[in-house]
Amino acid sequence: MNHIQGQDRCQMMMISLDGMIHSESFVRIIDAFVDTLDLENLGFSYFKLNSSGRPPFHPSVLLKLYLYGYQNNIRSCRKLEHASKINLEVMWLLENRKPHYKTIAKFRKENSLSFRKVFQHFVGMLKDWDLVDGAHIAIDSFKIRAQNSLKNNFNHKKIDRHLDYIDDKINEYFEQLELEDTPEGCKEINQKIEYNIGKADKYLELSRRLDDEQVDQISTTDPDARSVVLHRNIVNVGYNVQAVSDGKHKLLVAMDTGDVNDTHALAPMIEQTQKNLQVTKMSVLADKGYHTGAQLTQCERLGVTTFVSPKASAVNKRFNVYAMSLFKFHSGTDTYRCPNNEILRTNGKTYQRKGANKKGTWVGFKHYKTKACKTCPLKEKCTQSPQGRIIQRSEHQGAIERNNTRVNNNPEYYRNRQQIIEHQFGTLKRQKGFTHALMKTKEKVLGEVSILFTTYNLRRSLSIFGFTALLEQLRRQKSKFGRILISRAIVIIHVSNFIFYNPRLHRVPCAIL
């Protein structure tokens, strides 16, 4: 009995590229999707040809290549070039074109904004297909490493530590210089001193930049990257990517990146979601990292209902005093009732203080107190202040309490948050290997994120519709796009074929063609 036999490598075959690709391969979905896009209006480079010179690749070719690569964890431009030579699916997708890796890299570098527009356009298509509705959304973030090492990220503390080390080294060299007798030795020590002085000047310049730009840290390789905690207190330089998922089919509808944490991301992400979906009323789920009074107030102004996990009440563990949750606020009388049933009142004045979470922001608040504190038997358990307990109520406290009440009264609804937003991050990091960015600066990193999110939505749409139904949807979209192009061409022909009469120029209407 023989083993399974192979085919002779020298055997001639009559077969097409299309015959080598499975009839329900995902690469056919990518091909159909890109053909539905108006790449010129999306701003892709090299759409229009020059009158001379070597013709470029059509942007649809390279866009298809990137969508396939990010879907299959092939992100490097050199690996994509290699795939175009050996991968049958890529050869079919590109119609056997083989772009150089520099061409592939340049296309990604120059079209970051267009990639974002493609993602936003696809979100609009998903809304038209009734796959997203914006009624229930969830927001969360995940962190990726940047093209910037930790040693090339600086803050004042790190710079001071380097300068102290350099000062010690220079002092050592001066001591050695006093003991050195030979000219060669003195020359070598002086060179070391000059080298360290040059290093100190660079650190002093970085310190001045921190002061001038009024930032906490600075990265020298990727200026937009920041030191972030990736996981389990492991610090690296990277980006904190914000993502919004729709609750209907868990499709991604918005993304951005900004601060190293989520404190100030809630309202901006909601605004972006409202813009992408053209929806104003929605319920928003988020974890306690987004729980900030100013953000919750802004969300109420945007007309959305928030379900953000409350933060635990602050307790002074040093003195073991009563927590704020034991003081009950009465909105009708604008007073607090303490654990001893005494009433704390305000003088009505609104004071200002700098916000604890962001420099330069001011928060309004009122003081609440009572004279009964001086003779209260529970004073030792309530406060260590001789003046008695003083409660500061922020101007955002009402929005915080309304949000907290909704979350506490709807625990089952809040549990949907993890189902809506968490599993996407596992797919992006584990299956597609998106743990680090290949590009530098925020704009280009968001371009990468847009490609990845587009492929995720496209693959999930395939799971929802099925291959045949999704392909039919894309073909209908393509025919709709074709009708738009034809209507544009008719308008252009009509405009270009006639010169309209202008009495000042004394011209008569006549046909050009």
Side-chain angles (χ1 to χ4, degrees):
M1 182 176 181
N2 294 325
H3 293 92
I4 297 174
Q5 299 299 305
Q7 188 175 359
D8 188 353
R9 296 191 180 99
C10 297
Q11 175 68 44
M12 298 289 291
M13 293 184 295
M14 295 292 292
I15 189 170
S16 65
L17 277 175
D18 193 70
M20 298 181 187
I21 305 303
H22 192 275
S23 59
E24 294 191 356
S25 172
F26 185 69
V27 73
R28 297 183 185 273
I29 299 295
I30 294 176
D31 183 65
F33 169 69
V34 175
D35 288 343
T36 67
L37 301 176
D38 187 352
L39 299 182
E40 182 178 11
N41 279 344
L42 291 173
F44 280 95
S45 58
Y46 302 110
F47 188 85
K48 295 181 179 180
L49 298 176
N50 297 323
S51 58
S52 61
R54 185 177 185 272
F57 288 100
H58 193 277
S60 65
V61 174
L62 297 172
L63 178 58
K64 291 175 182 179
L65 178 61
Y66 271 115
L67 289 174
Y68 179 87
Y70 276 72
Q71 169 63 25
N72 294 279
N73 197 10
I74 308 172
R75 295 195 291 146
S76 163
C77 55
R78 290 181 182 267
K79 288 183 178 180
L80 288 170
E81 179 197 28
H82 185 61
S84 68
K85 299 175 182 177
I86 65 164
N87 189 314
L88 286 175
E89 287 189 328
V90 177
M91 293 167 68
W92 177 90
L93 186 63
L94 305 188
E95 296 175 328
N96 219 13
R97 300 181 183 92
K98 296 176 174 59
H100 193 267
Y101 75 88
K102 289 185 178 180
T103 302
I104 299 171
K106 187 177 181 181
F107 180 79
R108 179 169 52 186
K109 184 178 180 179
E110 293 181 348
N111 292 283
S112 300
L113 182 59
S114 297
F115 292 143
R116 296 178 67 178
K117 291 181 179 179
V118 168
F119 170 71
Q120 293 169 356
H121 175 75
F122 189 34
V123 170
M125 289 171 58
L126 295 173
K127 188 172 184 292
D128 292 339
W129 295 348
D130 200 30
L131 295 186
V132 298
D133 55 18
H136 308 278
I137 66 169
I139 301 175
D140 207 347
S141 64
F142 66 98
K143 297 177 178 64
I144 57 173
R145 287 175 298 195
Q147 293 293 317
N148 194 107
S149 66
L150 193 59
K151 69 178 182 179
N152 289 329
N153 174 267
F154 300 93
N155 54 27
H156 279 299
K157 185 177 179 180
K158 188 174 183 179
I159 291 173
D160 291 341
R161 188 166 64 247
H162 280 293
L163 289 174
D164 290 341
Y165 175 79
I166 291 173
D167 288 341
D168 292 339
K169 293 296 291 185
I170 291 176
N171 290 333
E172 290 180 9
Y173 290 140
F174 275 122
E175 291 176 0
Q176 293 178 15
L177 192 61
E178 293 178 358
L179 301 176
E180 184 62 46
D181 296 332
T182 63
E184 294 81 4
C186 292
K187 182 180 179 181
E188 183 180 354
I189 295 173
N190 282 323
Q191 289 176 349
K192 291 180 179 180
I193 293 174
E194 291 177 3
Y195 171 74
N196 279 275
I197 291 174
K199 286 176 64 178
D201 290 339
K202 292 180 180 179
Y203 288 125
L204 290 171
E205 176 61 27
L206 288 172
S207 181
R208 283 191 292 269
R209 283 181 59 189
L210 285 170
D211 294 333
D212 294 340
E213 298 175 14
Q214 296 183 351
V215 292
D216 296 330
Q217 54 178 293
I218 193 169
S219 300
T220 56
T221 308
D222 182 351
D224 294 335
R226 292 292 179 265
S227 176
V228 296
V229 180
L230 292 180
H231 56 87
R232 295 182 181 179
N233 296 326
I234 296 176
V235 179
N236 216 315
V237 181
Y239 288 90
N240 185 38
V241 180
Q242 301 289 336
V244 181
S245 175
D246 185 78
K248 190 169 185 178
H249 288 291
K250 320 302 186 292
L251 290 160
L252 298 166
V253 294
M255 54 84 195
D256 202 352
T257 182
D259 292 340
V260 296
N261 52 45
D262 305 329
T263 306
H264 307 285
L266 184 63
M269 292 309 301
I270 290 174
E271 289 180 349
Q272 190 178 136
T273 305
Q274 290 176 332
K275 179 181 177 181
N276 290 351
L277 297 180
Q278 296 298 307
V279 175
T280 55
K281 302 294 183 181
M282 59 181 64
S283 296
V284 181
L285 296 161
D287 61 26
K288 62 183 178 181
Y290 295 86
H291 193 279
T292 306
Q295 293 293 304
L296 293 173
T297 301
Q298 194 171 347
C299 290
E300 288 188 347
R301 293 170 184 165
L302 293 172
V304 302
T305 306
T306 57
F307 291 83
V308 182
S309 179
K311 292 181 179 178
S313 299
V315 178
N316 194 328
K317 296 181 179 180
R318 180 181 175 185
F319 300 111
N320 192 26
V321 299
Y322 288 136
M324 263 299 303
S325 58
L326 298 177
F327 292 77
K328 304 303 180 184
F329 180 73
H330 301 276
S331 58
T333 58
D334 194 18
T335 58
Y336 274 96
R337 185 177 293 275
C338 75
N340 197 33
N341 288 325
E342 295 291 344
I343 303 300
L344 284 75
R345 292 182 171 84
T346 177
N347 59 6
K349 292 183 180 180
T350 300
Y351 302 91
Q352 296 287 330
R353 68 178 179 191
K354 278 198 173 183
N357 296 320
K358 193 173 183 180
K359 294 181 178 179
T361 60
W362 293 86
V363 178
F365 65 95
K366 292 181 180 180
H367 279 161
Y368 294 80
K369 55 187 177 180
T370 178
K371 295 180 179 179
C373 281
K374 295 180 180 180
T375 58
C376 180
L378 303 178
K379 182 181 177 182
E380 292 184 359
K381 296 181 179 180
C382 187
T383 180
Q384 299 295 316
S385 172
Q387 289 79 23
R389 184 69 175 256
I390 299 176
I391 294 177
Q392 294 182 356
R393 181 178 176 84
S394 166
E395 60 183 335
H396 307 302
Q397 191 63 33
I400 293 173
E401 291 172 355
R402 288 187 289 272
N403 170 82
N404 295 355
T405 301
R406 283 192 295 269
V407 175
N408 294 331
N409 292 342
N410 299 276
E412 294 298 327
Y413 177 70
Y414 179 76
R415 289 193 185 96
N416 293 325
R417 184 194 67 83
Q418 290 182 324
Q419 301 175 19
I420 296 174
I421 191 62
E422 290 286 355
H423 71 94
Q424 289 94 330
F425 303 153
T427 302
L428 297 176
K429 287 191 171 185
R430 297 289 182 176
Q431 295 185 16
K432 302 190 179 185
F434 193 63
T435 58
H436 62 282
L438 297 180
M439 307 300 291
K440 300 174 186 175
T441 72
K442 174 182 175 178
E443 179 185 346
K444 294 181 175 60
V445 170
L446 284 178
E448 272 199 277
V449 176
S450 299
I451 299 173
L452 196 68
F453 280 19
T454 301
T455 62
Y456 178 89
N457 283 348
L458 201 57
R459 184 63 184 85
R460 189 154 181 84
S461 300
L462 176 60
S463 301
I464 297 167
F465 276 124
F467 184 87
T468 304
L470 178 57
L471 200 60
E472 185 60 30
Q473 286 278 7
L474 292 171
R475 285 171 178 168
R476 281 199 291 267
Q477 193 78 20
K478 181 180 179 181
S479 63
K480 178 181 176 182
F481 172 52
R483 289 194 297 271
I484 294 173
L485 289 182
I486 292 173
S487 65
R488 286 181 188 169
I490 293 173
V491 171
I492 292 171
I493 290 171
H494 279 294
V495 172
S496 62
N497 278 351
F498 297 96
I499 299 176
F500 297 100
Y501 175 71
N502 187 333
R504 295 189 178 182
L505 297 177
H506 304 288
R507 300 182 67 179
V508 296
C510 61
I512 294 176
L513 298 178

